[in-house]
Amino acid sequence: MKVKLVYKKMTGMLIIPVILLCSCQTMYYLPGDKFEPVRINEMFSFGSRGTGPGKFELIDAIVTDKDGNIYIGDKQGFIHKFSPDGKFMNKIGSQGTGRGQFYDEVKGIAIDSRGRIIAADEFNNRINIFDSEGKFETSFGKKGFGNGEFMDPSGVAVDSDDNIYIVDSKTMYIQKFSKDLTFIKKFGGPSGRYYADMTFMDEKVYGSEEGKFNKTESIACINGLIYAADEGNSRIQVFDLNGSFIRTIGGSGIGKGNFFDEVEGISSDADGNIYAVNESKGKWGSINVYDKDYNPVLQFQPNSYMVSPDGMRVDNVLKRIYVVDQGNWKVRVFDLEKVKARFVK
């Protein structure tokens, strides 16, 4: 934990000292700073620390189905299913290396138009697919660098045609598959090239140029575009469905629309506004919001600190925003309309 004494002169006031605590870098969220996060009361939260169904060890991905049920990936090697009011219903999968099992943390989940649950089994280097009732159907992928192979798959998204997009957090490529699980193409990636043992052929590996990544996990398909969290560059990259780069959103810093740490979960509302988790390893996690033209319109936090927020989901039927508060072992639930009422144009 770093401690830094920062002095800031306020208009009409004396210079005041403020002690900032941070596990990774100095944060300057002081009174009067540009675009200070808005505090918004949550509707409710659910979950608690522990092991077993309904208890959280290390949670990450979160999605909802057409009925408003909530699915949350956990390091315990399974997916929790909760009702819309946060009551535990069922668990999907189990820990292991067999059929329908997850080796460890479930980092990415998506639900297609048929209600199939598509989940990344990161350390088994495959994708598991379950039917809408949670019964295992099939899996695809294996360890490797080739097409259709993975080296730590994490984020999962589906488009309106049920094509599947998988982020590989180690190779930093996004792979696209048809709904029948046929490989179509891959895009993104690092700047350099890999040896098969994960050493690097090129000195420059982690990308900072457009269309390249420096650590990526989260992905979303929104209105016919792919939004991928470029965590190491503190930005979101936008591609079309063919993998062509379009633009970036955000950047590193504390200014309006920027990310002061890693970008995590991404989602959208029915009006096309984009919501993205502005993670912090300390107590400064928040949510960035951009309008459909990518202008920043809000940055908000709950009244009590989120610690390392991660996955998020906007449910446009129930008008809710779900945010995984990883360090507090719970899910925060916000009223979507109350959040939208705070937008700043």
Side-chain angles (χ1 to χ4, degrees):
M1 181 73 72
K2 297 179 181 178
V3 179
K4 185 168 184 177
L5 189 61
V6 178
Y7 290 88
K8 183 173 180 68
K9 186 174 182 179
M10 311 302 294
T11 303
M13 297 174 64
L14 297 175
I15 294 177
I16 57 172
V18 180
I19 294 177
L20 301 179
L21 302 179
C22 181
S23 61
C24 52
Q25 65 186 72
T26 301
M27 302 300 174
Y28 290 90
Y29 279 89
L30 303 177
D33 269 354
K34 186 177 181 181
F35 213 65
E36 184 177 356
V38 170
R39 298 283 185 174
I40 298 179
N41 289 326
E42 61 202 69
M43 296 172 61
F44 65 95
S45 63
F46 64 91
S48 61
R49 187 178 188 178
T51 58
K55 299 287 186 180
F56 298 147
E57 181 178 349
L58 182 66
I59 52 176
D60 200 319
I62 184 168
V63 296
T64 55
D65 64 20
K66 62 182 178 59
D67 298 317
N69 297 311
I70 307 157
Y71 301 78
I72 302 166
D74 198 319
K75 185 179 175 64
Q76 299 179 78
F78 59 81
I79 300 168
H80 303 269
K81 181 179 179 180
F82 290 87
S83 67
D85 58 358
K87 290 186 171 61
F88 177 76
M89 298 175 66
N90 190 19
K91 81 178 183 77
I92 298 169
S94 60
Q95 193 159 32
T97 59
R99 287 168 51 84
Q101 293 187 309
F102 298 91
Y103 185 88
D104 200 322
E105 187 176 359
V106 184
K107 281 193 173 181
I109 310 171
I111 297 178
D112 69 11
S113 65
R114 291 173 282 178
R116 297 190 307 171
I117 302 156
I118 305 165
D121 183 5
E122 184 178 23
F123 297 115
N124 283 322
N125 292 295
R126 65 188 180 189
I127 306 300
N128 287 332
I129 300 179
F130 304 84
D131 68 16
S132 59
E133 300 300 318
K135 182 180 178 181
F136 176 72
E137 287 190 350
T138 190
S139 64
F140 68 95
K142 64 179 182 178
K143 186 175 182 177
F145 294 91
N147 295 338
E149 298 176 341
F150 304 112
M151 297 292 296
D152 294 357
S154 52
V156 183
V158 294
D159 64 24
S160 59
D161 293 323
D162 284 340
N163 295 309
I164 303 167
Y165 301 79
I166 308 295
V167 170
D168 193 308
S169 61
K170 188 165 284 186
T171 68
M172 290 172 276
Y173 278 102
I174 298 169
Q175 297 196 54
K176 179 178 180 179
F177 299 84
S178 67
K179 62 184 178 182
D180 63 2
L181 313 183
T182 301
F183 173 83
I184 297 174
K185 66 174 8 180
K186 65 181 178 183
F187 55 95
S191 298
R193 295 173 295 166
Y194 291 106
Y195 283 121
D197 63 357
M198 286 304 298
T199 57
F200 301 118
M201 296 177 68
D202 296 337
E203 182 177 347
K204 183 182 179 185
V205 174
Y206 299 106
S208 59
E209 63 267 36
E210 294 178 344
K212 299 296 183 180
F213 292 99
N214 178 356
K215 188 183 177 185
T216 182
E217 289 183 359
S218 302
I219 188 171
C221 185
I222 300 169
N223 296 328
L225 295 174
I226 297 298
Y227 294 76
D230 187 2
E231 296 184 13
N233 289 313
S234 299
R235 66 187 181 183
I236 299 168
Q237 299 211 61
V238 186
F239 302 84
D240 67 21
L241 297 183
N242 291 316
S244 297
F245 172 80
I246 295 177
R247 61 166 295 148
T248 62
I249 305 171
S252 180
I254 62 167
K256 188 174 181 179
N258 287 337
F259 296 90
F260 49 71
D261 205 329
E262 296 180 347
V263 189
E264 292 290 348
I266 305 168
S267 192
S268 71
D269 63 30
D271 295 325
N273 300 303
I274 307 298
Y275 300 72
V277 171
N278 193 347
E279 188 194 22
S280 171
K281 305 302 183 189
K283 296 182 177 180
W284 300 93
S286 60
I287 308 299
N288 284 7
V289 189
Y290 308 84
D291 67 20
K292 63 183 180 180
D293 297 315
Y294 308 115
N295 301 303
V297 293
L298 186 67
Q299 187 179 61
F300 73 93
Q301 300 171 316
N303 281 321
S304 59
Y305 287 125
M306 295 189 291
V307 180
S308 293
D310 205 291
M312 74 162 302
R313 175 74 171 186
V314 177
D315 188 312
N316 289 297
V317 176
L318 297 180
K319 307 293 185 184
R320 293 176 178 177
I321 301 171
Y322 298 94
V323 181
V324 168
D325 187 352
Q326 199 173 69
N328 286 311
W329 298 278
K330 63 183 175 181
V331 174
R332 311 266 193 155
V333 187
F334 299 89
D335 185 310
L336 176 60
E337 296 304 321
K338 288 184 178 179
V339 170
K340 292 171 70 174
R342 304 294 294 274
F343 285 3
V344 177
K345 299 296 185 183

